[in-house]
Amino acid sequence: MQVFNSTSDLFKNHLGQLKAIGDVNRVLRELAIDGAAAVAKRVQNDGEKADGSQIGEYSTKTLAFGKITGKFGSIATKKQMSKRMKAFGDTSEFYGGYKEFRQSLGRQVEFIDLTLTGAMFEDWIPAPLDDNSWGVGFKNAESAKIAGYHEKRFGTIFALSKEEEKQAMQILNRIISQILK
C-alpha cells in the first residue's frame, strides 16, 4: 500500500491516475461543485469559518442608517444599500447595532451567516480555470470585495474545512472507483 505525506500528494497521485484515464475535467468539475456547496452550507447554516470556529458575533452598538451605508460604502453604494433595505420593507433610521438591523429585516441573528440579500452567495460559483482545472470563486467583483472584507475581519472563511477536505477525498475515491470499474 502506498503511503502519502499529505492530502496534496494523494490528490496529485489520484489526478495522475485520472489523467491516464482521460476524464479529469468531469471529476474536477464535480469536486468544485460539491466544494462550493459545502462552503456555502457551512457558512450560511452553521456560521462557521474554515477552521470550524464561529465567524463572530453581531455588533450591538447603536447605528444610524447613514453609518450602516457608510460602513459598506466602499463595498456597496448608499443607493444600493438603500434599495436593498427598502426591498425588505425597512424604514428605521436607528438600530441597536447590526444585529438589530438584521432582526428588523426578519433575518436570523444567532450566528453570523454573511447572508443579507443572498447576492454574495449567488455569485459563489465553481468555474473552469483551464482544460484540466476547476476552482471556486466569485463571478462578481463586488461580491469578491465583500468576501475579502469578511475574511480580513474574521479570518479564513471561503476555503475548505478539514471535514470538507475529507468529504472531497471520499468523493474523489468514489468517482475513481466508478471510473475504474
Side-chain angles (χ1 to χ4, degrees):
M1 181 174 173
Q2 193 170 1
V3 177
F4 299 96
N5 293 326
S6 69
T7 303
S8 176
D9 290 343
L10 180 63
F11 274 140
K12 286 176 186 173
N13 178 272
H14 284 342
L15 288 174
Q17 292 173 3
L18 287 173
K19 284 181 182 177
I21 295 169
D23 207 5
V24 174
N25 197 47
R26 182 181 71 85
V27 174
L28 294 175
R29 181 181 68 242
E30 187 170 336
L31 287 172
I33 290 167
D34 289 346
V39 170
K41 179 184 177 291
R42 172 178 37 84
V43 174
Q44 294 179 300
N45 294 358
D46 303 324
E48 293 179 355
K49 298 187 288 187
D51 67 5
S53 65
Q54 288 294 300
I55 292 173
E57 294 181 10
Y58 287 115
S59 167
T60 55
K61 294 180 183 177
T62 301
L63 294 174
F65 173 73
K67 294 231 185 225
I68 292 171
T69 57
K71 182 172 184 166
F72 295 101
S74 64
I75 299 168
T77 66
K78 288 182 183 183
K79 183 177 179 182
Q80 289 170 319
M81 285 299 292
S82 179
K83 182 179 176 183
R84 288 176 183 170
M85 290 170 68
K86 286 178 185 171
F88 290 114
D90 179 71
T91 57
S92 299
E93 289 295 319
F94 293 94
Y95 302 94
Y98 190 68
K99 181 176 184 175
E100 186 178 294
F101 169 66
R102 284 184 56 87
Q103 284 175 314
S104 76
L105 299 175
R107 299 292 186 257
Q108 74 80 25
V109 293
E110 297 302 312
F111 55 84
I112 292 179
D113 65 15
L114 305 183
T115 304
L116 181 62
T117 66
M120 183 175 69
F121 278 102
E122 286 174 14
D123 290 340
W124 174 246
I125 62 166
L129 302 175
D130 59 39
D131 289 344
N132 287 313
S133 68
W134 278 71
V136 179
F138 295 95
K139 68 178 181 180
N140 173 307
E142 179 183 349
S143 292
K145 194 172 187 180
I146 292 168
Y149 163 81
H150 288 310
E151 286 204 325
K152 183 176 180 183
R153 181 172 178 209
F154 299 116
T156 304
I157 299 168
F158 299 98
L160 292 178
S161 67
K162 295 292 180 194
E163 183 61 32
E164 291 158 352
E165 285 179 6
K166 280 173 50 177
Q167 290 171 352
M169 287 302 301
Q170 290 171 346
I171 291 167
L172 184 59
N173 287 328
R174 178 183 50 80
I175 293 170
I176 290 170
S177 294
Q178 288 172 346
I179 290 172
L180 293 176
K181 284 182 182 177

